[in-house]
Amino acid sequence: MLLSQLPEDVLYQILSCLDYKSLCRLSQVCKRIYYYVNRDVVWRKIAKEFLNTGITRNGTDIYPHIPLKERVKVAQNWYGGVCRRAILLKWKTKLLPWLQLDGDILFLSQAAEIGAYYQRQDSRKLQRNPFEIYSGHKGDVCRFVLTESDLISGGSDGKILVHSRKSDTSMELSGHNQEVNCLDSKDGLIISGSRDRTARIWTLTSSCTRNIIPMYDRVWSVAISPALSSFVTGTACCENLSPLRIWDVERSECVCSLGSQFRRGAGVLDMVFESPFQLFTCGYDTFIRLWDLRLSPRKCVMEWEEPHDSALYCIQTDGNHMIASGSSYYGVVRLWDKRQSECLQFFQLSSDPVSSPVYCLRFSSSHLYAALATSLHSMDFRQNPICIR
């Protein structure tokens, strides 16, 4: 019996045991085998071991519209650092921009406005002008988040604005008396942190603060757990308090502090939940840390050190093996494989004599976008692959 004559379920079982090089050779045998080899079910196991293929640790597929074989091709370039760089936008005044990605739309804050840009499908470059602008702050936008229905921004004027993405309506949340450094929102819940040394809990159903939590230190970052029962705050670490604390949403009480022996000034600048119990943090002490909230809160389970002793302003993960980080000097972006202790790849984006931090970065299956003080950069990893045809 020929291989192509086997029942489909048996054939797929055999193919799923092969590595990507063997699959590529096998796909050249005939059209029928080529058809089977290109199916996602064959590549799923392989894709889970590569960087940024969209298959998360729990098996969720982030990019179901892109064939897995194509994603494995691009993943080799992420691993090898093979990309084409470009500067998408430039501006003259130094800013602290922030980014969010939603499919083919990139949101970029510049001073008091947030622009929404379409990405061109062929080149993934941005259209020259934003198709929509969100405004209303009297000062610079510090952070903003996206939900399915809203864009929620915090500004240096102490205000939080909730812009509807489906209409022209907006709602103002007032309470902080200094700049809103950070915020997060999930399922109608909003958590904000400010230089005024408080964290506040809000809901989209009211313009009044639900709870005010004295933090006794400036709040640089917040993240709501996917379970919605708790949130984490990261502070400047200028007081005799842990910079990382977990809070119960309903009771507004501190559940526990994470870590010990943080040196003074080791503030936490960014954090991201990868699951209800896995939290990644980074900041001024140059480390990316992974915390497992099911274990002892006094020690992280893994950590990665920025090799040039630079503060880490931002991080993002692919939900599986890859971390991308942005450093405080010369626009350095690093890619990390969680299975390795050393940095996998690094890219220096700033060529100016005066260095700029990477204030924010976001990536898709094929592109990474980084916002510096005066420019928006992109890295396109869709180059010709070496191993897969």
Side-chain angles (χ1 to χ4, degrees):
M1 178 179 288
L2 299 176
L3 183 65
S4 58
Q5 294 175 325
L6 290 171
E8 286 192 12
D9 57 339
V10 176
L11 181 59
Y12 286 137
Q13 188 66 32
I14 294 172
L15 295 177
S16 65
C17 296
L18 302 179
D19 61 26
Y20 67 92
K21 290 184 179 180
S22 300
L23 285 173
C24 294
R25 296 190 187 103
L26 187 61
S27 67
Q28 300 174 30
V29 171
C30 66
K31 289 184 178 179
R32 183 171 177 80
I33 294 296
Y34 179 85
Y35 167 78
Y36 286 118
V37 167
N38 279 282
R39 300 295 295 273
D40 276 3
V41 66
V42 174
W43 290 90
R44 191 173 183 86
K45 181 179 178 182
I46 294 172
K48 195 168 184 179
E49 296 305 310
F50 277 73
L51 298 183
N52 196 30
T53 56
I55 304 299
T56 64
R57 190 183 303 274
N58 63 12
T60 303
D61 192 344
I62 301 174
Y63 312 114
H65 58 289
I66 305 174
L68 271 176
K69 181 181 177 181
E70 297 302 315
R71 286 184 260 168
V72 172
K73 286 183 182 181
V74 177
Q76 293 180 89
N77 293 329
W78 284 94
Y79 191 87
V82 180
C83 66
R84 182 182 293 112
R85 306 186 199 184
I87 299 176
L88 301 182
L89 292 173
K90 281 188 174 183
W91 49 90
K92 294 182 179 180
T93 306
K94 287 188 177 181
L95 304 173
L96 278 71
W98 196 254
L99 292 173
Q100 295 290 357
L101 269 178
D102 185 13
D104 291 329
I105 304 175
L106 185 142
F107 296 82
L108 169 68
S109 66
Q110 293 173 286
E113 296 181 338
I114 302 168
Y117 296 83
Y118 280 123
Q119 302 170 70
R120 296 172 183 165
Q121 291 296 326
D122 52 347
S123 63
R124 304 297 287 184
K125 291 184 178 180
L126 301 184
Q127 292 186 343
R128 173 171 294 221
N129 298 312
F131 70 88
E132 190 160 1
I133 295 176
Y134 300 88
S135 59
H137 285 286
K138 296 178 182 178
D140 289 355
V141 173
C142 298
R143 293 285 177 95
F144 68 93
V145 295
L146 297 175
T147 68
E148 289 187 5
S149 57
D150 299 301
L151 184 153
I152 305 167
S153 60
S156 60
D157 56 2
K159 308 293 185 184
I160 298 171
L161 295 180
V162 181
H163 302 273
S164 173
R165 297 176 61 186
K166 300 177 181 179
S167 66
D168 294 330
T169 61
S170 63
M171 178 174 66
E172 182 180 295
L173 306 179
S174 299
H176 289 291
N177 55 39
Q178 294 189 47
E179 62 195 57
V180 180
N181 293 319
C182 53
L183 53 81
D184 195 13
S185 179
K186 286 183 175 67
D187 199 28
L189 177 70
I190 302 172
I191 307 294
S192 61
S194 171
R195 184 181 283 270
D196 67 7
R197 302 186 172 207
T198 68
R200 293 175 182 251
I201 303 175
W202 317 75
T203 62
L204 290 176
T205 57
S206 173
S207 60
C208 298
T209 305
R210 197 180 86 179
N211 288 101
I212 303 173
I213 303 174
M215 298 296 297
Y216 309 106
D217 204 351
R218 291 165 292 174
V219 186
W220 290 139
S221 55
V222 296
I224 301 173
S225 166
L228 301 176
S229 59
S230 62
F231 66 92
V232 183
T233 55
T235 57
C237 201
C238 293
E239 305 295 336
N240 295 322
L241 298 166
S242 170
L244 274 171
R245 282 175 283 174
I246 304 175
W247 304 83
D248 182 272
V249 169
E250 290 300 322
R251 294 181 286 119
S252 301
E253 294 179 356
C254 182
V255 176
C256 69
S257 297
L258 296 179
S260 60
Q261 299 180 343
F262 283 97
R263 71 173 187 263
R264 188 175 180 84
V268 179
L269 295 175
D270 199 12
M271 59 177 70
V272 58
F273 271 101
E274 200 169 76
S275 74
F277 51 83
Q278 287 186 314
L279 175 72
F280 286 85
T281 63
C282 70
Y284 282 119
D285 66 351
T286 76
F287 281 91
I288 301 171
R289 291 188 171 91
L290 168 60
W291 307 87
D292 191 321
L293 305 185
R294 299 168 298 183
L295 305 177
S296 169
R298 297 189 61 81
K299 188 173 179 59
C300 64
V301 294
M302 293 184 71
E303 62 183 21
W304 300 265
E305 184 177 10
E306 218 292 334
H308 290 164
D309 198 32
S310 299
L312 295 172
Y313 273 55
C314 54
I315 52 173
Q316 188 185 357
T317 79
D318 68 347
N320 196 8
H321 299 305
M322 191 180 84
I323 308 171
S325 65
S327 302
S328 59
Y329 295 119
Y330 302 108
V332 171
V333 170
R334 295 187 185 274
L335 302 183
W336 309 77
D337 187 331
K338 298 173 190 174
R339 298 164 292 189
Q340 302 177 18
S341 59
E342 302 296 326
C343 169
L344 181 64
Q345 299 293 341
F346 84 96
F347 310 89
Q348 183 176 326
L349 303 181
S350 175
S351 58
D352 298 332
V354 180
S355 68
S356 167
V358 177
Y359 287 110
C360 185
L361 59 79
R362 293 288 182 265
F363 58 77
S364 63
S365 63
S366 58
H367 284 69
L368 186 146
Y369 301 93
L372 278 61
T374 58
S375 53
L376 174 65
H377 295 248
S378 75
M379 286 178 279
D380 182 354
F381 290 86
R382 297 176 303 169
Q383 308 307 305
N384 292 328
I386 298 172
C387 300
I388 297 182
R389 303 296 182 212

